[in-house]
Amino acid sequence: MKTAIVTGITGQDGAYLAQYLLNKNVRVIGAFRRGAERTSWRLKYLGIDKDIEPLEFELSEFAQIFKAIKDIKPDYFYNLGAMSFVGTSFDQPLYTQEVNYLGALRVLESIRLAELETRFYQASTSEMFGEVKTIPQNELTPFHPRSPYGVSKLAAHWASINYRESYGMHCSNGILFNHESPLRGDEFVTKKIVSCFFQISQNNIDFFELGNLDAKRDWGYAKDYVEGMEMITNLDKPDDFVIATNKTNTIRYFCELAANEFGYNIAWKGKGVEEIGFDSKTNKTLIRVNPKFYRPAEVDILIGCYDKIKKVAGWKPKTSLEDLVSLMCSEEIKLNNFFNTNKVN
Ligand code: NAP
Ligand code: F7E
């Protein structure tokens, strides 16, 4: 039986990857931050909380990381732990580097010092493309990150390549474009939109506020994407791969799809901060713009080309945006019941 350490086990991808690995009969050691038991609701929701072996783990603490890796000698190390919210990275740029870049470096250095054959996976991101130089973006597209988050992830990406080239370690980077699911954190725009329409449908709120409605993202389904992570680490040759859907849509379009799922028909009027989204059946305003959700520098458009991983590993996306929105909206009701019954955060 192979052993995998997964950082970020309490997050969206950590939960789905753990589920996928367990189904492949891999022993999963879930790296939790101290006190994070409160937030392991995703593992509980998937019914796998008892199947994960917990490991207390802080990405800013070298001695703890080194000892864990040396003692456990994992076959795989999936580094999914990160300060992952782009908006917050502008307020916490140093902390973001500390966890996202130096955290990855601590793991790489520990594997090297412990002289292990561990296969390392780094959660790289389309945010590294930032102000994009080509459309679509692939593994050869030059990088131009637009946030402290993007910069930290780019540094970690290169550290992973550097350990591969310098020491022959099995280090791979998955350059994943935005991927969403019912388990997405509430602060990310897709989950925020779905949750807010659900709250409107329950008469708990009248409307909600968003920032830039024109940004375009290549959204896929997280459950499809973790399969790509597992495929990448099992290739003979470590390498870097884009995982995406090769389709891009605006935040505005995402709102329209989610609104439909709850029986609203969104129409738009006004421009900039004056713009509103209203239900054309009732004329009620459901969406307003608030500049507090704008970012100091925006990533305007992302669209990824997944040809390389398709050719090398046979991976391709299985879920359309329309199906993804539909499943997020229907699961929102179940999640709400789950929270009411389980009294978890
Ligand atoms: P997420 O839901 O925000 O989860 C982040 C995880 O990182 C949480 O488990 C969190 O633990 C953990 N973490 C944060 N700081 C840590 C620290 N100092 N030490 C140890 N663990 C720490 O993120 P996700 O969406 O699953 O994404 C997984 C990874 O892929 C992240 O690295 C993200 O940057 C990257 N990525 C995501 C996307 C996407 O669209 N989802 C796309 C490209 C790349 P707590 O629960 O204790 O906070
Ligand atoms: O923003 C715009 C916002 O926060 C998407 C992370 O998983 O994917 C994610 O980063 C877009 C941006 O995701 C609101 O300005 C408008 O243009 O959902 P998001 P992100 O920044 O793309 C990448 C690939 C990662 O690697 C990250 O870890 O939506 N937007 N109004 C808004 N965004 C938020 N959050 N909230 C709003 O009200």
Side-chain angles (χ1 to χ4, degrees):
M1 193 182 207
K2 302 270 192 200
T3 298
I5 295 182
V6 179
T7 66
I9 192 78
T10 54
Q12 169 189 261
D13 291 7
Y16 284 126
L17 178 65
Q19 186 184 45
Y20 190 66
L21 293 176
L22 288 168
N23 284 336
K24 295 239 160 202
N25 208 27
V26 173
R27 174 183 170 219
V28 178
I29 307 218
F32 290 82
R33 285 201 280 179
R34 188 178 165 274
E37 286 80 1
R38 285 181 296 113
T39 55
S40 65
W41 64 267
R42 293 179 174 93
L43 301 176
K44 204 173 210 173
Y45 187 70
L46 294 182
I48 56 169
D49 51 321
K50 304 275 185 306
D51 303 322
I52 311 279
E53 293 176 45
L55 169 72
E56 193 172 311
F57 195 96
E58 167 55 61
L59 276 164
S60 56
E61 194 56 55
F62 179 74
Q64 191 184 37
I65 295 173
F66 178 65
K67 184 171 183 312
I69 288 175
K70 191 166 138 291
D71 291 351
I72 295 167
K73 299 182 179 43
D75 298 288
Y76 305 99
F77 193 106
Y78 291 94
N79 189 36
L80 311 186
M83 203 308 287
S84 69
F85 187 48
V86 173
T88 296
S89 77
F90 288 98
D91 300 323
Q92 301 181 358
L94 298 172
Y95 176 73
T96 302
Q97 286 292 336
E98 181 65 51
V99 173
N100 296 6
Y101 168 44
L102 291 176
L105 193 55
R106 289 180 187 104
V107 172
L108 287 162
E109 190 61 359
S110 296
I111 297 171
R112 183 182 80 82
L113 289 172
E115 298 179 7
L116 298 173
E117 301 285 309
T118 304
R119 293 183 168 208
F120 175 80
Y121 173 90
Q122 171 60 19
S124 288
T125 164
S126 50
E127 281 294 300
M128 302 184 314
F129 296 121
E131 193 178 280
V132 301
K133 306 298 177 209
T134 64
I135 291 182
Q137 298 86 52
N138 67 17
E139 294 79 3
L140 301 175
T141 302
F143 298 116
H144 184 148
R146 295 269 284 169
S147 63
Y149 170 79
V151 171
S152 70
K153 283 287 185 173
L154 184 52
H157 179 86
W158 280 113
S160 170
I161 293 172
N162 184 241
Y163 274 70
R164 179 167 84 213
E165 292 177 351
S166 305
Y167 310 115
M169 283 167 49
H170 198 291
C171 302
S172 298
N173 297 305
I175 308 174
L176 271 56
F177 283 61
N178 298 53
H179 45 282
E180 318 297 314
S181 75
L183 303 189
R184 190 57 147 147
D186 290 334
E187 65 275 41
F188 300 96
V189 78
T190 56
K191 184 66 195 285
K192 177 176 169 180
I193 294 167
V194 168
S195 298
C196 287
F197 276 123
F198 174 66
Q199 293 303 331
I200 291 173
S201 75
Q202 301 297 299
N203 293 320
N204 292 334
I205 58 171
D206 294 328
F207 68 92
F208 62 99
E209 296 176 329
L210 293 172
N212 180 5
L213 299 170
D214 295 314
K216 294 179 101 175
R217 290 291 182 275
D218 177 332
W219 284 297
Y221 182 25
K223 221 170 161 178
D224 294 347
Y225 284 27
V226 299
E227 295 184 14
M229 296 179 189
E230 192 264 354
M231 284 175 178
I232 288 171
T233 51
N234 282 306
L235 292 171
D236 289 341
K237 196 169 153 289
D239 205 344
D240 309 320
F241 296 94
V242 161
I243 297 190
T245 70
N246 196 230
K247 295 197 167 54
T248 192
N249 284 289
T250 59
I251 311 301
R252 204 185 300 277
Y253 180 60
F254 193 100
C255 290
E256 291 164 14
L257 290 177
N260 274 335
E261 293 292 326
F262 289 100
Y264 307 110
N265 191 10
I266 289 285
W268 305 91
K269 72 177 170 208
K271 279 214 159 69
V273 292
E274 303 300 328
E275 183 166 1
I276 57 162
F278 64 100
D279 180 16
S280 65
K281 295 180 197 162
T282 60
N283 270 335
K284 276 194 183 155
T285 298
L286 303 183
I287 300 169
R288 292 185 189 279
V289 172
N290 187 332
K292 91 169 178 198
F293 296 111
Y294 291 164
R295 290 170 183 176
E298 180 60 279
V299 171
D300 294 322
I301 176 166
L302 290 171
I303 174 165
C305 166
Y306 61 88
D307 285 357
K308 182 174 168 185
I309 190 166
K310 186 174 173 209
K311 187 165 169 227
V312 174
W315 183 91
K316 58 178 192 245
K318 294 188 267 196
T319 312
S320 69
L321 178 61
E322 289 71 18
D323 288 347
L324 172 63
V325 175
S326 181
L327 84 87
M328 285 178 75
C329 292
S330 56
E331 199 94 352
E332 188 65 21
I333 299 156
K334 282 193 225 156
L335 266 172
N336 217 57
N337 292 338
F338 169 79
F339 283 124
N340 288 338
T341 317
N342 285 277
K343 303 263 178 286
V344 286
N345 292 333

